[in-house]
Amino acid sequence: MVAIIRCTESETAHIEWQEGLFPASGRREWTWTATRPREFWTKGGHITLIATPDRQGLLYVTRLGYTKRLRQVADLEQKLEISHVSALSQPVMLKEVTARLAARHDRHLIDEGQQTEATGKALLAALVELRPDAGDVIGRLRVTLDGYTVRSTAGEALATQRDAVLGIGRMAGMSIPQLARWDPPAEELYDDRPPPAYLDLLSRTGAASADGGQAAPQHDIAIEDHHIGHDAEMFLGWIGERTGHVAWRQFRQDDQSLLIANVNRTAVEGNSGADLLYYHQSRGSLVLVQYKKLNKVGGYYYPDSDRKLADELKRMEDVDAYAAGLRRTTDDHRLSPDPSWIKLCPPEGLIPQANIMVPGMYFSRQHFQQLRTDPRLRDGRDKALRFGYSNVPSYLDNTMFTRLVETGMIGTAGVSTELVRQQITRSVREGRLLTAGILTGKEQPQSARNSARRRRR
């Protein structure tokens, strides 16, 4: 659906203030709310033409966004949330857009609110005719609404990689909206070849800056090859020779730098699994996450039927034992000091262009092994052991897990980069789908990080 929202002067000032705080190349997806007559906003979400007044009060379409309904605030009033706001490179007068509508669409035009399906399509077509660059913005918004349909195991691998990338951003305590803005593959994905690196698909479309000029591309905070520092060069050296199936981006916030890399070198049909590796250098903290998929039909994971599990658990036990041997009584406290974790998650049928991770259950390696002996999980056919939302007594979800990693409550303490190097090279050598992140630089106290997070809201 398509809608029009006409902004007041105060709403326009608020939008401009938000854009000044969080420019298009910044690190946070911002939203704003508005209240409008309920009769014109009765259905779901809409690609929205955002019209703002100039000094003479004339309305110009200056931005596009995505509007969804929130709660009803009164009998006749509806609260709206507008997100994914993107400025057009050049505003266009709203009257010019509506003047291009054919009579059959113009008679159904609503000055402000959601439009009929046919009138909405005509409005977007008129806008693109006047401002061709609006087509790219509309395309990104459509992915937000519709998502990318997963049709193969290669597509599932891409979804897993995307989830790991978003997870690493959260573990680092950075809000990086461009990690969720991506351009779906132009061609069908095949299982007999490596999947595309998710980081290579991140949208590079430019956006107008707050001062009206053309901003740098969305990746202007990504450090290119010739700009990398020593830490990034060392990290990428562990991955080995870079190929078309290795992608990386580096981000900076305050005094810290976050490098994220995707390594896809094995055809999906021969891939031995997916790993997430996150290392916080100043803490010496390492977290390893092994992805496992719930069954598509029943929504369960059957460990006794997983032929790879025994070898993977042995690897996790070895890593945990190695890390335990490095612990010192002077290390920072951890609720769980072992690095190895398992995430059970459903296979994605649709990959959105939104900062949403795949829902899942996180278990430490020890917790997972203990649950394998829990009689409550032997509720399958013929007492089969299975993990699912309906029978697992406790687990960590995305928010809990990433927040505990960010605050240093879980993960190793005092581990050197040698263990990190070992695990990266092992994942690459074994042909696993690896998403790795390393955070370097001076860390602020949690109180300071919390204050900075509140300021960025």
Side-chain angles (χ1 to χ4, degrees):
M1 300 287 286
V2 176
I4 296 174
I5 188 164
R6 296 171 174 241
C7 298
T8 63
E9 290 185 3
S10 60
E11 287 174 335
T12 302
H14 178 71
I15 294 171
E16 293 172 350
W17 175 75
Q18 288 273 29
E19 289 175 332
L21 286 179
F22 311 114
S25 59
R27 306 179 188 278
R28 185 178 187 275
E29 181 71 68
W30 59 271
T31 62
W32 62 283
T33 58
T35 301
R36 292 294 188 270
R38 185 167 176 262
E39 65 176 306
F40 301 118
W41 302 88
T42 58
K43 296 183 179 179
H46 315 279
I47 293 177
T48 303
L49 280 66
I50 301 173
T52 56
D54 66 1
R55 293 179 179 178
Q56 286 73 42
L58 298 175
L59 286 171
Y60 284 79
V61 179
T62 55
R63 300 162 179 85
L64 292 172
Y66 172 55
T67 302
K68 68 177 181 180
R69 296 186 307 160
L70 298 179
R71 65 182 182 275
Q72 182 178 339
V73 295
D75 288 343
L76 302 177
E77 297 293 316
Q78 177 70 54
K79 189 172 184 179
L80 307 170
E81 179 187 80
I82 301 90
S83 61
H84 298 279
V85 177
S86 298
L88 299 180
S89 60
Q90 185 177 354
V92 57
M93 190 177 292
L94 180 59
K95 285 185 177 181
E96 287 187 45
V97 179
T98 58
R100 288 179 173 262
L101 297 179
R104 66 181 184 279
H105 299 310
D106 185 63
R107 72 170 61 100
H108 297 291
L109 180 68
I110 296 172
D111 286 344
E112 181 177 59
Q114 66 191 47
Q115 309 295 323
T116 64
E117 183 175 357
T119 300
K121 289 181 179 179
L123 272 173
L124 294 184
L127 178 62
V128 172
E129 187 176 347
L130 289 166
R131 296 290 183 270
D133 65 301
D136 293 334
V137 181
I138 293 168
R140 294 199 303 274
L141 289 171
R142 287 200 185 282
V143 175
T144 301
L145 293 169
D146 303 330
Y148 172 74
T149 302
V150 176
R151 298 184 176 87
S152 64
T153 306
E156 292 180 11
L158 183 63
T160 298
Q161 211 169 229
R162 170 189 173 276
D163 183 73
V165 166
L166 295 180
I168 286 174
R170 295 188 186 185
M171 291 178 203
M174 294 185 181
S175 180
I176 310 174
Q178 45 280 55
L179 289 181
R181 294 172 178 164
W182 66 294
D183 298 319
E187 300 178 351
E188 190 71 28
L189 301 182
Y190 298 98
D191 295 342
D192 61 351
R193 65 191 67 172
Y198 174 72
L199 288 171
D200 269 344
L201 299 175
L202 294 183
S203 176
R204 294 177 179 270
T205 304
S209 61
D211 61 4
Q214 187 68 19
Q218 293 288 352
H219 285 328
D220 64 345
I221 62 172
I223 310 302
E224 301 301 336
D225 286 12
H226 59 283
H227 288 152
I228 64 175
H230 172 73
D231 295 325
E233 188 173 7
M234 176 183 67
F235 183 77
L236 292 169
W238 294 335
I239 294 173
E241 181 182 0
R242 289 193 286 271
T243 71
H245 306 304
V246 177
W248 63 276
R249 296 288 182 271
Q250 189 166 353
F251 305 91
R252 296 186 184 277
Q253 181 172 287
D254 300 324
D255 295 324
Q256 291 186 306
S257 174
L258 174 65
L259 181 80
I260 306 178
N262 290 149
V263 186
N264 305 350
R265 288 191 172 154
T266 306
V268 176
E269 59 189 13
N271 189 274
S272 60
D275 290 335
L276 181 157
L277 181 149
Y278 174 70
Y279 181 64
H280 192 303
Q281 191 176 57
S282 64
R283 294 182 191 148
S285 181
L286 174 66
V287 174
L288 294 167
V289 181
Q290 168 71 58
Y291 278 80
K292 292 291 183 182
K293 295 293 185 181
L294 298 172
N295 186 282
K296 288 184 178 181
V297 179
Y300 289 95
Y301 168 69
Y302 295 85
D304 294 343
S305 300
D306 188 343
R307 293 176 295 177
K308 300 177 181 178
L309 182 62
D311 290 339
E312 290 166 346
L313 286 176
K314 179 61 170 63
R315 176 191 178 186
M316 292 179 188
E317 290 173 356
D318 291 344
V319 175
D320 290 350
Y322 186 103
L326 300 174
R327 288 178 199 147
R328 300 291 182 267
T329 56
T330 54
D331 288 342
D332 289 342
H333 173 70
R334 298 285 189 263
L335 297 176
S336 177
D338 292 331
S340 300
W341 291 76
I342 293 174
K343 180 179 182 179
L344 302 181
C345 53
E348 285 236 87
L350 199 69
I351 308 178
Q353 187 169 328
N355 193 16
I356 302 171
M357 294 178 65
V358 179
M361 298 179 281
Y362 292 85
F363 307 95
S364 67
R365 189 263 310 167
Q366 292 183 346
H367 186 198
F368 179 84
Q369 290 181 307
Q370 182 183 47
L371 287 173
R372 294 184 71 187
T373 65
D374 192 323
R376 290 173 292 182
L377 272 62
R378 290 198 171 275
D379 60 354
R381 182 179 300 177
D382 298 326
K383 302 287 186 178
L385 176 67
R386 59 182 186 174
F387 284 67
Y389 284 103
S390 63
N391 65 351
V392 171
S394 61
Y395 57 88
L396 299 182
D397 61 18
N398 287 322
T399 301
M400 296 169 67
F401 178 76
T402 56
R403 186 67 170 139
L404 287 172
V405 175
E406 181 205 339
T407 55
M409 290 291 100
I410 59 178
T412 62
V415 166
S416 69
T417 55
E418 174 58 24
L419 181 56
V420 182
R421 184 193 65 79
Q422 290 177 12
Q423 296 312 306
I424 288 177
T425 55
R426 184 169 181 175
S427 287
V428 174
R429 185 174 63 248
E430 293 180 357
R432 302 179 72 83
L433 190 72
L434 172 65
T435 300
I438 182 169
L439 183 67
T440 60
K442 183 180 178 181
E443 180 182 21
Q444 296 177 324
Q446 184 175 335
S447 60
R449 298 198 307 272
N450 289 344
S451 296
R453 180 182 288 106
R454 287 192 292 269
R455 288 196 303 271
R456 295 186 182 104
R457 285 175 181 170

